[in-house]
Amino acid sequence: MNPQISGLSSMATRLVLADLSDHIRRAHGTPVRFESAGGVEIARQVHEGARADLIVLADGALADLEAEGHLIEGTVRPLWVSQVVAAVPEGTPVPPLDSESDLRTALLSAQKIAYSTGPSGTALVDLIARLDLADRLGDRLVQAPPGVPAGTLLSSGRADLAFQQHSELMDLPGIVVIGPLPGGTAISSTFSAGVLASSAQPGLAREVLDLLGSDAASKTARARGMRRASTTVAFRCPGETER
């Protein structure tokens, strides 16, 4: 059994990393354990000296950490892309979301609109401004606390429309996911990974990073509402044939 690899990640990738960590332990004999929190919180921990082997964050946040010297040069790679989806409380009317006009109607009809502290929340606020709705919707926006899925505000009655990464909303009870935003209003985030400069075992961390970018990992990610980033380098185990 190899020594344990520790990792840090944002909440959006928490479930897929849990699935993959279990697979890597069973199939490759390497224990992997990720701690997940809001992306802003994870970046703060790294800035304050948190030690781990791997980190998985939205690519913009990871690029900032790389530029500051917190990651081993050349290890950063994109892994998965996640779309932002809209959701409503279970048992309420589900608005259509086939066009930009539908999205505008859904936004203007909502009493409270939940969004996250992560990159999807920032992109949603930017989209609302681009749709020239910022003044009309400003007092209706409710930001979920860091690390808390925006969808929980639906089930608790604090919002009647929510937007967040599909991976964070798809399994929440008490809500209905409508689907991704239409056409040119679509929002997606790329999540990337790298080996932290604080890693005590960078060689093994690189091997685990290869496994996170593998074909098998991309299938797990799809089941969790993400798709493979197009520039991810495929990894094949010895003896595995290319498909």
Side-chain angles (χ1 to χ4, degrees), residues 15 25-26 32 57 87 105 130 140 147 161 172 190 193 232:
L15 294 177
R25 177 186 58 79
R26 289 185 287 102
V32 181
L57 287 178
T105 298
R130 181 157 58 87
R140 304 189 205 177
L161 182 65
L172 287 181
T190 298
T232 300

Side-chain angles (χ1 to χ4, degrees), residues 11-73:
M11 294 298 290
T13 57
R14 177 177 60 89
L15 294 177
V16 66
L17 287 170
D19 290 345
L20 291 173
S21 295
D22 183 61
H23 170 74
I24 291 169
R25 177 186 58 79
R26 289 185 287 102
H28 300 275
T30 301
V32 181
R33 182 176 182 272
F34 277 89
E35 293 188 7
S36 301
V40 173
E41 169 63 16
I42 291 297
R44 182 191 66 77
Q45 290 180 20
V46 173
H47 284 130
E48 294 182 357
R51 300 180 65 84
D53 298 300
L54 292 171
I55 186 168
V56 181
L57 287 178
D59 58 352
L62 204 65
D64 290 342
L65 291 177
E66 182 183 28
E68 295 164 1
H70 292 290
L71 286 92
I72 295 177
E73 185 177 356

Side-chain angles (χ1 to χ4, degrees), residues 38-130:
V40 173
E41 169 63 16
I42 291 297
R44 182 191 66 77
Q45 290 180 20
V46 173
H47 284 130
E48 294 182 357
R51 300 180 65 84
D53 298 300
L54 292 171
I55 186 168
V56 181
L57 287 178
D59 58 352
L62 204 65
D64 290 342
L65 291 177
E66 182 183 28
E68 295 164 1
H70 292 290
L71 286 92
I72 295 177
E73 185 177 356
T75 64
V76 173
R77 66 173 67 183
L79 292 177
W80 310 302
V81 177
S82 178
Q83 280 193 305
V84 171
V85 298
V88 294
E90 190 175 37
T92 62
V94 178
L97 208 62
D98 298 321
S99 66
E100 181 177 315
S101 176
D102 288 340
L103 175 61
R104 292 176 66 93
T105 298
L107 287 166
L108 290 169
S109 299
Q111 297 300 308
K112 292 293 181 182
I113 302 164
Y115 69 107
S116 78
T117 57
S120 65
T122 300
L124 178 71
V125 172
D126 290 344
L127 173 61
I128 287 172
R130 181 157 58 87

Side-chain angles (χ1 to χ4, degrees), residues 196-210:
L196 283 161
S198 64
S199 174
Q201 39 205 0
L204 184 57
R206 286 174 185 258
E207 292 179 20
V208 172
L209 184 56
D210 283 338

